Structure formats: structure tokens, C-alpha cells
Amino acid sequence: MVNRMIFNQTGFFGRGAIQEIPAAAKSRGFTKAMVVTDPVLADPKNGTAKKVTDILDEAGIGYEVFTNVKANPPVECIQDGVEKFKASGADFLIGLGGGSPQDTCKGIGIVVANPEFGDVLSLEGTADTKNPAIPTFGVPTTAGTASETTINYVITDTANKRKFVAVDPHDIPVVAFVDPDLTDGMPRGLKVATGLDALTHAIEGYITPGAWALSDALCLKSIQMIAANLAKSADGDKEAGEEMAFASYINGMAYSNVGLGLVHGMAHPLGGRL
């Protein structure tokens, strides 16, 4: 049996990791970003998106901000993002946020590079895309989905009230920036919810039939880290929050490559009707 593992080309980890964005962009010849994030993070009162755009400003890298992001992104949001990207003159994407902004970003990047999938619905499952997505930097603000290091993304087919998963090695961000400074500000309830999501991913990744030695090692380590740090992180312990951010990424590398099990298989049909 042959096992395949697909990871980011590069990852930066630790407080202040987002400071590496300009160098990573310039080394690849990128000149303008489209930052895909949600309205809450883009709100000046929140300030999260501003932390990233200030860094781009200081480095002289142009950008536009796209905020038409909704939970479990609908087809229409991705199609809107595709048109906005094509009009922007940007040459790379920054997915900033939790799973929904990251998934929206992946969908945009894939469709721009593979316009024959412009209906978005045809991306369901393992679509036969020919081209890598527009280069994407994944910047998580939650410690749960690990979308910054997965080859999966979830889309909502609003017309038929269902969610579906797209699995495509072409969509993985080329660089991930796991900066706990961006996850510290999550409300307690969100820390708990996203932490339990990460735990679910790790358990599913461990028990799924596709698991093997390397994925087991990653999932088991993630479970250990979550068990030791989730409660403390929820109560505001910053060191524990840092460990949670890393634990999410570690198990994301595993479950992205071995598939998800029963819990997510049941949740997607139900979530599509909410």
C-alpha cells in the first residue's frame, strides 16, 4: 500500500509569525495581495485584519480586502471573490481567519486558476483540476480547522440546502503563518468550540481506515497537546493558547491526508440545512 502526505511548502510558527509575510511574498515575486477575511475580523474595532494590512503597508505590498465571507461559504460568495480577484490585479491570496475565510480563499484560488470549474458545484469531491490554485498564504485566527494546511474545503450549495467537501491537492496554501497572537483574542466560547473541533479532527484522523504510522504520530501528539491545554487556553492562558494553535496545525497535516470519519460525515448534511 502506498500512502501520500501533502504539506505546505513552508510554514512559520510562533508569536510574530505574520511579520514574515512580506519576505515570503517578495521572495516569490508577488506584488499585490487579495486578503480574504470575514466582516468581523475586518472591522476596525476588532483590528485583526489591520495587523496584517499594516505589515503589508510597511513593506510596500499592495492589497485589496475581500469580506464577502459567510460561514460554510456559499457558492455565490466564491464566485463573487473570483470576479473581485480578477479585477484587482492581485497575484496572490491571503486567507485570514478561521475555516470559512480560508475555505472561501481556497475556492477563489482554485476557480481563478481553473475557470472551467466556475460553477463551483463541479468541485465537489475530488475534482480533476489541472492547475495549482493562485498562490495562497494561510493565516489562521482560530485553533481548530487547520485550513491553512489542509487540501480540503467546505462549500454550501444554498439552492439545494447542502454542504459538500472539495478535496484537491492543488488548493493547499503555499505558506502557512501560525501566529498565536492572532488566536489570543478569541472569545472563551470560540476557544472551546474550535478546540473541540481540533480534537474531533485528531480522533477521526486516528481511527479512520486510511490512518497509518505518520498520521497516527501526528494525531496522537495533537490529542496530547489538546488534552493538556484546551481548558487552560479557554481560561486565558497564553502559553496554552500557543500550544492549541500548534496542535491544530499538527493534526491538520494528518487528517487532511487520511480523510474524515463519521462525525463530519453526519454534520455536513445537517449543517447545510441551517
Side-chain angles (χ1 to χ4, degrees):
M1 180 177 179
V2 175
N3 295 294
R4 182 192 70 179
M5 301 293 277
I6 299 172
F7 304 139
N8 307 105
Q9 294 175 11
T10 307
F12 293 94
F13 309 91
R15 295 190 179 277
I18 58 173
Q19 297 292 335
E20 302 296 329
I21 291 175
K26 291 180 178 180
S27 70
R28 291 165 172 79
F30 302 154
T31 59
K32 185 176 182 180
M34 187 165 90
V35 181
V36 179
T37 191
D38 64 42
V40 173
L41 297 176
D43 189 328
K45 294 179 181 178
N46 179 286
T48 300
K50 189 174 186 298
K51 291 179 181 179
V52 172
T53 57
D54 281 353
I55 291 169
L56 296 175
D57 283 332
E58 291 169 9
I61 296 175
Y63 62 87
E64 292 189 16
V65 180
F66 177 78
T67 61
N68 186 13
V69 172
K70 299 178 182 177
N72 302 302
V75 167
E76 295 78 10
C77 289
I78 291 172
Q79 291 173 328
D80 182 33
V82 168
E83 295 307 311
K84 294 294 196 302
F85 182 87
K86 290 191 293 187
S88 71
D91 51 12
F92 75 113
L93 288 156
I94 298 177
L96 173 66
S100 295
Q102 303 274 356
D103 286 0
T104 303
C105 193
K106 288 178 178 179
I108 293 169
I110 281 289
V111 174
V112 172
N114 300 273
E116 64 272 26
F117 290 91
D119 68 333
V120 182
L121 297 174
S122 56
L123 292 169
E124 182 172 1
T126 54
D128 186 24
T129 59
K130 305 300 182 185
N131 303 310
I134 297 299
T136 300
F137 289 179
V139 185
T141 62
T142 63
T145 65
S147 294
E148 71 278 3
T149 189
T150 68
I151 61 173
N152 316 314
Y153 55 106
V154 176
I155 298 171
T156 299
D157 174 4
T158 49
N160 294 298
K161 295 184 178 180
R162 68 188 187 98
K163 294 195 293 186
F164 65 86
V165 178
V167 182
D168 190 346
H170 282 147
D171 70 40
I172 191 168
V174 294
V175 189
F177 301 84
V178 183
D179 189 335
D181 285 340
L182 300 185
T183 62
D184 285 341
M186 284 188 291
R188 188 180 193 280
L190 187 59
K191 288 181 180 179
V192 172
T194 56
L196 290 174
D197 191 31
L199 180 60
T200 300
H201 288 155
I203 294 171
E204 287 182 299
Y206 185 69
I207 65 174
T208 187
W212 63 291
L214 179 53
S215 64
D216 283 353
L218 294 168
C219 288
L220 287 172
K221 181 60 178 178
S222 179
I223 291 169
Q224 292 170 354
M225 294 172 72
I226 294 168
N229 292 284
L230 176 54
K232 290 188 289 186
S233 173
D235 289 336
D237 185 312
K238 287 192 173 183
E239 288 187 8
E242 188 168 346
E243 290 294 294
M244 287 297 299
F246 300 152
S248 171
Y249 183 92
I250 289 168
N251 81 60
M253 291 191 291
Y255 84 75
S256 173
N257 286 285
V258 298
L260 291 177
L262 179 61
V263 173
H264 281 62
M266 294 175 64
H268 287 157
L270 293 173
R273 293 186 170 274
L274 296 178

